[in-house]
Amino acid sequence: MARVGQTGLVLLFPSDPLNPRRADPHFADEYAAARELERATALIDHDLAAGGDPAGAVARVRAAEDAVYRGWMLRS
């Protein structure tokens, strides 16, 4: 779930496929660093996004002015 940060920017990270409440282990350090710096963060379901359901992948993300995705490559 997103944390309120100092800007309207939210950093999106893929969730762990086996535990959707945790960051994917490949990006866990970056996710933890962003949270430690009190940046707005959110976890998304990469499988839903890559499988053609981007709305479902970000359904739990709060609205933000801008978002940056840091994770596995997705098709446009």
Side-chain angles (χ1 to χ4, degrees):
M1 196 55 79
R3 271 181 86 178
V4 176
Q6 297 170 346
T7 69
L9 177 73
V10 65
L11 302 171
L12 304 174
F13 293 88
S15 62
D16 184 332
L18 301 176
N19 185 351
R21 295 188 181 272
R22 299 182 72 179
D24 182 301
H26 291 94
F27 302 98
D29 289 342
E30 293 175 48
Y31 177 73
R35 290 179 60 89
E36 193 170 306
L37 292 171
E38 297 185 359
R39 299 294 159 197
T41 60
L43 297 173
I44 67 165
D45 186 325
H46 174 268
D47 292 335
L48 284 178
D53 185 10
V58 297
R60 294 179 30 180
V61 178
R62 289 185 188 173
E65 293 175 17
D66 293 301
V68 175
Y69 175 67
R70 175 64 177 127
W72 303 108
M73 291 178 60
L74 299 172
R75 291 178 291 171
S76 59

